[in-house]
Amino acid sequence: MSKNTAILLMHCPDQTGLVAAVTDFLHKNNGNIIDLDQHVDTNEHYFFMRVEWNLEDFAIPKEKIDDFFGTLVGKKYDMKWQLHFSDQPQRMAIFVSKMSHCFYDILQRCMSKEWNVEIAMIISNHPNLKLIADRFDLPFHVIPITKETKREQEEKELALLKEANVDFVVLARYMQIISDNFIQHYENKIINIHHSFLPAFVGAKPYHQAYKRGVKIIGATSHYVTAELDAGPIIAQDVEAISHKDSIADLVRKGKDLEKMVLSKALWLQLQHKVLPYQNRTIIF
Amino acid sequence: MSKNTAILLMHCPDQTGLVAAVTDFLHKNNGNIIDLDQHVDTNEHYFFMRVEWNLEDFAIPKEKIDDFFGTLVGKKYDMKWQLHFSDQPQRMAIFVSKMSHCFYDILQRCMSKEWNVEIAMIISNHPNLKLIADRFDLPFHVIPITKETKREQEEKELALLKEANVDFVVLARYMQIISDNFIQHYENKIINIHHSFLPAFVGAKPYHQAYKRGVKIIGATSHYVTAELDAGPIIAQDVEAISHKDSIADLVRKGKDLEKMVLSKALWLQLQHKVLPYQNRTIIF
Amino acid sequence: MSKNTAILLMHCPDQTGLVAAVTDFLHKNNGNIIDLDQHVDTNEHYFFMRVEWNLEDFAIPKEKIDDFFGTLVGKKYDMKWQLHFSDQPQRMAIFVSKMSHCFYDILQRCMSKEWNVEIAMIISNHPNLKLIADRFDLPFHVIPITKETKREQEEKELALLKEANVDFVVLARYMQIISDNFIQHYENKIINIHHSFLPAFVGAKPYHQAYKRGVKIIGATSHYVTAELDAGPIIAQDVEAISHKDSIADLVRKGKDLEKMVLSKALWLQLQHKVLPYQNRTIIF
Amino acid sequence: MSKNTAILLMHCPDQTGLVAAVTDFLHKNNGNIIDLDQHVDTNEHYFFMRVEWNLEDFAIPKEKIDDFFGTLVGKKYDMKWQLHFSDQPQRMAIFVSKMSHCFYDILQRCMSKEWNVEIAMIISNHPNLKLIADRFDLPFHVIPITKETKREQEEKELALLKEANVDFVVLARYMQIISDNFIQHYENKIINIHHSFLPAFVGAKPYHQAYKRGVKIIGATSHYVTAELDAGPIIAQDVEAISHKDSIADLVRKGKDLEKMVLSKALWLQLQHKVLPYQNRTIIF
């Protein structure tokens, strides 16, 4: 929990010697590797890697690692990379509407320190869940949205997020479509939970669609939000068996359990810096 | 296995006293109920029931049960019903193409007497699996299909099925689309396995579609074949978790396991007369 | 949710005409059956049934149903039965220790009205979770337990439960073994969550045991508490795949998710009166 | 499928620079890494790695790789390692008794070339499945076992295995306990399928045990055979939900599906050299 590690997420065209170059860089500077996972997409000839190492005896000071790695390794191999430190908790904004199941699930994990993250704020288009936020002394902004006000209200939200140094946004059953403009400010940094096993039942009322189609399993999908509705890179999915005995109300009830678990699973991965989106797919280390 | 039971599958508009009427009919005639399952669709106000009872001491002779039930119960309540006897094995035709995984799985269950069913014949548009059928002394008809010959070749198939008194048809990864004409001869009696969790990835190459979309689960769906492609009543579905490490070849390999298990699960239900299709959904008793 | 129904749970030695007798009783008194599920244990020749019907036009007044059913049906067939009414929410006591995940999950379902139940009180042997109970204005009793004080402290608990008319007790990761004396007061009315797929890993530290054994799945089991530790009738179980990469801390983290979901699933069944324990097994309608 | 790759499985006490040393060795000799997976057991401070690389341009000839790797890397780090080549199919002996489900499943995968493996022979203590082996022209040895003859019959089996250069043995529902003497000849090379989610229900009649305990899930476990019954390193496990409706016969039927799928999953991993047993646990790469 109170680890003092650095994490590098990197990707580049595949070529011989990539793993050797990175591990050599760490090894020579006394970086003890705690976790290393790499993947080669053999169709695309593309290389992906996540490596986490102990900073304790590491020869390069924290603030210089990015520069050193870039100069000595990254640029040579035409890499894109992210550098993270485990002792710097990310700051998360939670968007909600009226339903509380995902919200409670996140709260419990934060409050019990299962997750190392800061809840910067809650934003909602409805006041319903304010009471819960109050009980936990969390800042709660009610920002109603209509077609006419969407643009300006989103600007308000963006200002709040920026001011609070929010790293990523969680849509915890937030029932509004986010505009392209908003998305561009947080590319691959807005995590949504959709209440179906995508790509089945895109859009509104997926449980009604599922009931009508007579499926024997329902699902939930957590994904990064992109311009196309419910079509962004998938982080996590899960399903549950249903039967003809389940009414639409039963699907909604059972689906809530899926939604909160799948969303929390995706958030856990995000908090560990274990998700690397690439071309509408994700590498999960 | 060597049971001597009768099975009634029935459905009708819901009304008070339906269960009482049926169980009373059986009770008064010394029919000991072994299994009873009923379902009310409270949206559609529709009633469904499957009841299985012992014929040993049943007062009404087998050949008269249909008439007696219809007169005394069925017609009164505007029911539709099917009557089956457990000692009369159904006759099944298996349609295959080149892949053998579903075929072997079915064979093993028939040969080991796990299933009480007669394999009337194998039909294929390719000769590849004839060798296996030969090893087990099963009739194997190679009936190639092209756009031009489809109509007449399907007529040949229909003639073979009729002559052999086939009760239902299994498409065990048979890679041809069945015509509406053919389907009408075997309504809700053609069971297909589609290699995706429908309604996601309808049509050709679902594993390629799944790979491209970056899903984290793949699935398979067994359903009755209707005029609309991959849109008939679903009998069984299952899924398996995948990851970015899985190539398309891995999806195909893992998918085969899903396909054969889901198809065999649907066939087991069919053989037990436990599937009741209704308005593009199925009741699974 | 605001249903006005009655529920009968019954069991007795199997014999012909049981379903007919019950449905006839309801039918003749204008009771419209909403749900009926029966099961025959063909080994034990034992019959189980749950039936739910609408009270709106039912001819027998609520307070007389038990007597009428007993006289006209139950006693004739040597039945044991329970009668419940959907408009009378059960009263539940929650026992906790230090971990909050199950507690929050239950809270959310109660607060959001997903469950129709009254939280009579929280009892804990530690004060840690009092803050949460306070935030939701729930009575919280800290009752520390030592070997020496167990007997008297349990008496205190029993007095509290009795005074508050508690129907059943939930052990939401309450880390104390309940004495036989206590159990006898709430037979088949204490629901525990054990953090393994029982009967594997009975007793203390099941995740450590699981890690040591090198299993590839972990599980959780909700069951009624009986005199023998972790050996009572199982209500619900679920599992999750793990790998060699999972440390014991990972098992604990993943296990928490299983625990809360499995416990809540069991509680949902309990609240619907869908669980009928019989000889250390449960019938789940 | 027709890959020309080498695979190294290695483990040793953890220390800095292990990944760098191995990847450097491969890189300098033009070995293009196709797959690399490593794991550090942070409790035991132990390092595990599987690396697969292309032999096409590799500078070291196949027959010298073991020596070169050992001298330049392995011995320096006190490693234990195995070297395998993908173009050398392993030779497998299948032990069966009377049940055919696992046997067919293996057959189908071999015949359809899903698996790259040679079936060296079938050994059985009963003649029942000889007919199937005959249909596929596979050598089938009937070697009956009694308490008295066990020692000498196992010697016969060992002689047959040795003569046929068998790499590993599959117990495909072979209902005999293997003696310690036999096991010592094939340490971590005998793969069994046990019909329960171990460690629950060790030994005989696990489905009867499961039924009696009233579990809501059943499982199957594939593991290496060690001297202690059903206690060896677990390779794969899976489970399936059951209910009170399932008789013991149903558990047996559903369990067969689990058994064959779990066994085949373990065999697939074995064939890919993806299993590394260590201290009664397995690393699955």
Side-chain angles (χ1 to χ4, degrees):
Chain A
M1 282 301 159
S2 58
K3 292 189 296 185
N4 181 22
T5 62
I7 294 151
L8 266 170
L9 280 171
M10 64 200 90
H11 56 118
C12 62
D14 191 27
Q15 52 204 296
T16 312
L18 286 164
V19 177
V22 176
T23 57
D24 199 52
F25 167 77
L26 297 175
H27 179 213
K28 283 194 176 144
N29 294 296
N30 276 331
N32 194 32
I33 294 172
I34 285 173
D35 200 50
L36 177 151
D37 199 359
Q38 60 98 46
H39 172 64
V40 176
D41 185 324
T42 49
N43 284 326
E44 306 270 344
H45 302 289
Y46 222 77
F47 173 87
F48 306 87
M49 189 161 135
R50 179 189 186 275
V51 61
E52 180 169 4
W53 72 98
N54 218 313
L55 287 176
E56 224 149 88
D57 301 318
F58 197 52
I60 306 170
K62 257 171 102 165
E63 65 281 5
K64 293 192 181 168
I65 295 174
D66 195 72
D67 182 27
F68 275 53
F69 177 78
T71 306
L72 298 174
V73 183
K75 286 169 193 165
K76 279 189 196 165
Y77 294 98
D78 202 16
M79 279 182 181
K80 288 182 182 165
W81 71 91
Q82 310 167 22
L83 177 67
H84 303 283
F85 298 105
S86 62
D87 66 348
Q88 292 174 6
Q90 295 173 71
R91 291 178 60 74
M92 164 173 80
I94 308 171
F95 281 45
V96 297
S97 284
K98 293 179 180 170
M99 275 176 293
S100 65
H101 54 293
C102 292
F103 185 32
Y104 268 88
D105 201 66
I106 293 169
L107 274 183
Q108 189 273 324
R109 292 171 202 271
C110 296
M111 295 296 155
S112 68
K113 308 286 179 205
E114 179 181 314
W115 288 354
N116 181 26
V117 64
E118 288 169 8
I119 300 179
M121 72 188 66
I122 324 293
I123 288 180
S124 179
N125 56 334
H126 294 289
N128 307 48
L129 303 186
K130 186 169 189 315
L131 188 66
I132 303 169
D134 287 351
R135 288 188 196 272
F136 290 93
D137 306 317
L138 293 166
F140 190 95
H141 305 283
V142 182
I143 304 186
I145 307 255
T146 63
K147 256 187 204 169
E148 292 71 32
T149 64
K150 186 162 204 154
R151 182 84 207 201
E152 72 183 293
Q153 295 295 69
E154 283 197 348
E155 289 301 334
K156 266 190 217 169
E157 292 169 353
L158 284 168
L160 284 166
L161 298 177
K162 208 142 290 179
E163 202 198 323
N165 286 316
V166 161
D167 291 302
F168 68 98
V169 172
V170 184
L171 307 183
R173 296 302 312 278
Y174 179 66
M175 304 300 281
Q176 290 289 322
I177 293 174
I178 309 292
S179 76
D180 289 9
N181 173 53
F182 189 114
I183 293 168
Q184 278 161 26
H185 286 82
Y186 289 91
E187 206 197 330
N188 285 336
K189 293 192 167 164
I190 307 171
I191 294 178
N192 185 40
I193 179 72
H194 183 74
H195 37 320
S196 80
F197 50 92
L198 289 175
F201 310 129
V202 164
K205 293 197 173 279
Y207 295 124
H208 289 72
Q209 294 182 55
Y211 182 85
K212 196 157 170 249
R213 179 61 188 88
V215 292
K216 299 300 184 189
I217 49 174
I218 56 168
T221 305
S222 186
H223 63 95
Y224 290 115
V225 174
T226 56
E228 191 184 340
L229 184 65
D230 298 332
I234 292 171
I235 305 168
Q237 294 189 290
D238 202 3
V239 298
E240 170 139 350
I242 57 160
S243 83
H244 63 273
K245 292 191 184 178
D246 289 302
S247 65
I248 292 176
D250 290 321
L251 301 196
V252 169
R253 179 177 55 81
K254 292 182 173 182
K256 278 182 190 168
D257 286 354
L258 283 172
E259 293 158 23
K260 76 183 184 193
M261 300 313 276
V262 170
L263 178 58
S264 285
K265 190 182 169 194
L267 293 177
W268 168 260
L269 293 168
Q270 173 77 10
L271 295 175
Q272 308 302 304
H273 304 291
K274 292 204 162 183
V275 190
L276 186 47
Y278 178 70
Q279 287 193 348
N280 217 45
R281 297 164 49 81
T282 59
I283 315 298
I284 306 289
F285 292 108
Chain B
M1 282 301 159
S2 59
K3 292 189 296 184
N4 181 23
T5 61
I7 294 151
L8 266 170
L9 281 171
M10 65 200 89
H11 56 120
C12 62
D14 191 28
Q15 53 205 292
T16 311
L18 285 164
V19 177
V22 175
T23 56
D24 199 52
F25 167 78
L26 297 176
H27 179 213
K28 283 193 176 144
N29 295 295
N30 276 330
N32 193 31
I33 294 171
I34 285 172
D35 200 52
L36 178 152
D37 199 359
Q38 59 98 49
H39 172 64
V40 176
D41 184 324
T42 48
N43 285 326
E44 305 270 344
H45 301 290
Y46 221 77
F47 174 86
F48 306 87
M49 187 160 135
R50 179 189 186 274
V51 62
E52 181 170 4
W53 73 99
N54 219 312
L55 287 177
E56 224 150 89
D57 302 316
F58 197 53
I60 306 170
K62 258 173 100 164
E63 67 279 6
K64 293 192 181 167
I65 295 174
D66 195 72
D67 182 26
F68 275 52
F69 178 78
T71 306
L72 299 174
V73 183
K75 286 170 194 166
K76 277 188 197 166
Y77 293 98
D78 202 16
M79 279 183 181
K80 287 184 182 163
W81 72 91
Q82 310 167 21
L83 177 66
H84 303 283
F85 298 106
S86 62
D87 66 350
Q88 292 174 6
Q90 295 173 71
R91 291 178 59 74
M92 163 173 82
I94 308 172
F95 281 44
V96 298
S97 284
K98 293 178 180 170
M99 275 176 290
S100 67
H101 54 292
C102 292
F103 185 32
Y104 268 88
D105 201 66
I106 292 168
L107 275 183
Q108 189 273 325
R109 292 171 201 270
C110 296
M111 296 294 155
S112 68
K113 309 285 180 205
E114 179 180 315
W115 289 353
N116 181 27
V117 64
E118 289 168 9
I119 301 179
M121 73 187 67
I122 323 295
I123 287 179
S124 180
N125 55 335
H126 294 289
N128 307 49
L129 302 186
K130 186 169 188 317
L131 188 67
I132 303 169
D134 287 351
R135 289 188 196 272
F136 290 93
D137 305 318
L138 293 166
F140 190 96
H141 305 284
V142 182
I143 304 185
I145 307 253
T146 63
K147 255 186 204 169
E148 291 71 31
T149 64
K150 185 161 204 155
R151 182 85 206 202
E152 71 184 295
Q153 295 294 68
E154 283 197 349
E155 289 300 334
K156 267 191 218 168
E157 293 169 352
L158 286 168
L160 285 166
L161 297 178
K162 208 142 289 178
E163 200 198 323
N165 286 317
V166 161
D167 290 304
F168 68 96
V169 171
V170 184
L171 307 184
R173 295 303 311 278
Y174 178 66
M175 304 301 281
Q176 290 288 323
I177 293 173
I178 309 292
S179 75
D180 289 10
N181 174 52
F182 189 114
I183 293 167
Q184 278 161 26
H185 285 82
Y186 289 91
E187 207 195 329
N188 285 336
K189 291 192 169 166
I190 308 171
I191 295 178
N192 184 42
I193 179 71
H194 183 73
H195 36 320
S196 81
F197 51 92
L198 289 174
F201 310 130
V202 164
K205 294 197 172 278
Y207 294 124
H208 289 73
Q209 294 181 55
Y211 182 85
K212 197 160 170 247
R213 180 60 188 90
V215 292
K216 299 301 184 188
I217 49 175
I218 55 169
T221 305
S222 187
H223 62 95
Y224 290 116
V225 174
T226 55
E228 192 184 339
L229 184 65
D230 299 332
I234 292 171
I235 306 168
Q237 295 189 290
D238 202 3
V239 297
E240 170 138 350
I242 58 160
S243 82
H244 64 273
K245 293 190 183 180
D246 290 301
S247 65
I248 291 176
D250 289 322
L251 301 196
V252 169
R253 178 176 55 80
K254 292 182 172 182
K256 279 181 189 169
D257 286 354
L258 283 172
E259 293 158 24
K260 76 183 183 192
M261 301 313 276
V262 170
L263 178 57
S264 286
K265 191 183 169 194
L267 294 177
W268 168 260
L269 293 168
Q270 174 77 8
L271 294 176
Q272 308 302 305
H273 304 291
K274 292 204 162 181
V275 190
L276 186 47
Y278 178 71
Q279 287 192 347
N280 217 45
R281 299 163 49 82
T282 59
I283 314 300
I284 307 289
F285 292 109
Chain C
M1 282 302 159
S2 58
K3 291 190 296 184
N4 181 21
T5 62
I7 294 152
L8 266 170
L9 281 171
M10 64 199 89
H11 57 118
C12 63
D14 192 26
Q15 52 205 294
T16 312
L18 286 164
V19 178
V22 176
T23 56
D24 199 52
F25 167 77
L26 297 176
H27 179 212
K28 283 196 175 140
N29 295 296
N30 276 330
N32 194 32
I33 294 172
I34 285 173
D35 200 50
L36 177 152
D37 199 358
Q38 59 98 46
H39 172 65
V40 176
D41 185 323
T42 50
N43 284 325
E44 306 269 344
H45 301 290
Y46 222 78
F47 174 86
F48 305 87
M49 188 160 136
R50 179 190 186 274
V51 61
E52 181 168 4
W53 72 98
N54 218 313
L55 287 176
E56 222 149 88
D57 301 317
F58 197 54
I60 306 170
K62 257 171 102 164
E63 67 281 5
K64 293 192 180 167
I65 294 174
D66 195 72
D67 182 27
F68 275 52
F69 177 79
T71 305
L72 299 174
V73 184
K75 286 170 194 166
K76 278 189 197 167
Y77 294 98
D78 202 16
M79 278 181 181
K80 288 183 182 164
W81 72 91
Q82 309 166 21
L83 177 66
H84 304 283
F85 298 106
S86 62
D87 65 349
Q88 292 173 6
Q90 294 172 72
R91 291 178 59 76
M92 165 172 80
I94 307 172
F95 281 44
V96 298
S97 283
K98 293 178 179 171
M99 275 177 291
S100 66
H101 53 293
C102 292
F103 185 33
Y104 269 88
D105 201 66
I106 293 168
L107 275 183
Q108 189 273 325
R109 293 172 201 269
C110 296
M111 296 294 155
S112 68
K113 309 285 179 205
E114 179 181 314
W115 288 353
N116 181 27
V117 64
E118 288 168 9
I119 300 179
M121 72 188 65
I122 323 292
I123 287 180
S124 180
N125 55 337
H126 294 289
N128 307 48
L129 303 187
K130 185 169 189 316
L131 188 66
I132 303 168
D134 288 350
R135 289 188 195 273
F136 290 93
D137 305 318
L138 293 166
F140 190 96
H141 305 283
V142 182
I143 305 186
I145 307 253
T146 64
K147 256 186 203 169
E148 292 69 33
T149 63
K150 185 161 203 154
R151 182 85 206 203
E152 73 184 292
Q153 296 295 68
E154 283 197 348
E155 289 301 334
K156 266 191 219 168
E157 292 169 353
L158 285 168
L160 284 166
L161 297 178
K162 209 142 289 177
E163 202 198 323
N165 286 317
V166 161
D167 291 301
F168 69 97
V169 171
V170 183
L171 308 184
R173 296 302 311 279
Y174 178 66
M175 303 301 280
Q176 291 289 322
I177 294 173
I178 308 292
S179 76
D180 289 9
N181 173 54
F182 190 114
I183 294 168
Q184 277 162 26
H185 286 82
Y186 289 90
E187 207 196 329
N188 285 335
K189 291 190 169 168
I190 307 172
I191 295 178
N192 184 40
I193 179 72
H194 183 74
H195 36 320
S196 80
F197 51 92
L198 290 174
F201 311 129
V202 164
K205 294 200 173 275
Y207 295 124
H208 289 72
Q209 294 182 53
Y211 182 85
K212 193 152 173 254
R213 180 60 188 92
V215 293
K216 299 300 184 189
I217 49 174
I218 55 169
T221 304
S222 187
H223 63 95
Y224 290 116
V225 174
T226 56
E228 192 183 339
L229 184 64
D230 298 332
I234 293 171
I235 306 169
Q237 293 189 290
D238 202 2
V239 298
E240 170 137 350
I242 57 160
S243 82
H244 63 274
K245 293 191 184 179
D246 290 302
S247 66
I248 292 176
D250 290 321
L251 301 196
V252 169
R253 179 177 54 80
K254 292 182 173 183
K256 279 182 190 168
D257 286 354
L258 282 172
E259 294 158 23
K260 76 183 183 192
M261 300 313 275
V262 169
L263 179 57
S264 286
K265 190 181 169 195
L267 293 176
W268 167 260
L269 293 167
Q270 173 77 8
L271 295 175
Q272 308 302 304
H273 305 290
K274 292 204 162 182
V275 190
L276 185 48
Y278 178 71
Q279 288 192 348
N280 217 44
R281 299 163 49 82
T282 59
I283 314 298
I284 307 289
F285 292 107
Chain D
M1 283 300 160
S2 58
K3 291 189 295 184
N4 181 22
T5 62
I7 294 151
L8 267 170
L9 281 171
M10 65 200 91
H11 56 119
C12 63
D14 191 27
Q15 51 205 294
T16 312
L18 286 164
V19 177
V22 176
T23 58
D24 199 51
F25 167 77
L26 297 175
H27 179 211
K28 283 193 176 144
N29 295 295
N30 275 331
N32 194 32
I33 294 171
I34 285 172
D35 201 51
L36 179 152
D37 199 359
Q38 60 96 48
H39 172 64
V40 175
D41 184 324
T42 49
N43 284 325
E44 306 269 345
H45 301 290
Y46 222 76
F47 174 86
F48 306 87
M49 187 161 135
R50 180 190 185 274
V51 63
E52 181 170 4
W53 72 99
N54 220 312
L55 286 176
E56 224 150 88
D57 302 317
F58 196 53
I60 306 171
K62 257 172 100 163
E63 65 281 6
K64 293 192 180 167
I65 295 174
D66 195 71
D67 182 27
F68 274 53
F69 178 77
T71 306
L72 298 174
V73 184
K75 286 170 194 166
K76 277 189 198 165
Y77 293 99
D78 202 16
M79 280 182 180
K80 287 183 182 163
W81 71 93
Q82 311 166 21
L83 178 66
H84 304 282
F85 298 106
S86 62
D87 65 350
Q88 292 174 6
Q90 297 172 72
R91 289 178 61 72
M92 162 173 82
I94 308 172
F95 281 44
V96 298
S97 284
K98 293 178 179 170
M99 275 176 292
S100 66
H101 55 292
C102 292
F103 185 31
Y104 268 88
D105 202 65
I106 292 169
L107 276 183
Q108 189 273 325
R109 292 172 201 270
C110 296
M111 296 294 155
S112 68
K113 309 285 178 205
E114 179 180 316
W115 289 354
N116 181 27
V117 64
E118 288 168 9
I119 300 179
M121 73 188 66
I122 322 294
I123 287 180
S124 180
N125 55 336
H126 294 290
N128 308 49
L129 303 186
K130 186 170 188 318
L131 187 68
I132 303 169
D134 288 350
R135 289 189 196 272
F136 290 93
D137 306 317
L138 293 167
F140 190 96
H141 305 284
V142 181
I143 304 186
I145 307 253
T146 64
K147 256 186 204 169
E148 291 71 32
T149 64
K150 184 162 205 155
R151 183 83 206 204
E152 71 184 293
Q153 295 294 69
E154 284 197 348
E155 288 301 333
K156 267 191 217 168
E157 292 168 353
L158 285 168
L160 284 166
L161 298 177
K162 209 142 288 178
E163 202 198 323
N165 286 317
V166 161
D167 291 303
F168 68 97
V169 171
V170 184
L171 308 183
R173 294 304 310 278
Y174 178 66
M175 304 300 280
Q176 291 289 323
I177 293 173
I178 309 291
S179 76
D180 289 8
N181 174 53
F182 189 114
I183 294 168
Q184 277 161 27
H185 286 83
Y186 289 91
E187 208 196 327
N188 285 336
K189 291 190 169 166
I190 308 171
I191 295 178
N192 184 41
I193 179 72
H194 183 74
H195 37 320
S196 81
F197 50 91
L198 289 175
F201 310 129
V202 164
K205 293 198 172 279
Y207 295 124
H208 289 72
Q209 294 182 55
Y211 182 85
K212 198 160 167 246
R213 179 61 188 92
V215 293
K216 299 301 184 188
I217 50 175
I218 55 168
T221 305
S222 186
H223 62 96
Y224 290 116
V225 174
T226 56
E228 192 183 340
L229 183 65
D230 299 333
I234 292 171
I235 306 168
Q237 295 189 289
D238 202 3
V239 298
E240 169 138 351
I242 57 160
S243 83
H244 64 274
K245 293 190 184 179
D246 289 301
S247 66
I248 291 176
D250 290 321
L251 301 196
V252 169
R253 178 177 54 80
K254 292 182 173 181
K256 279 182 189 168
D257 285 354
L258 282 172
E259 294 159 22
K260 75 183 185 193
M261 300 313 276
V262 169
L263 178 57
S264 286
K265 191 182 168 194
L267 293 176
W268 168 261
L269 293 167
Q270 174 77 8
L271 294 175
Q272 309 302 305
H273 305 290
K274 292 205 163 183
V275 190
L276 187 47
Y278 179 71
Q279 289 192 346
N280 218 44
R281 298 162 50 83
T282 58
I283 314 299
I284 306 288
F285 291 108

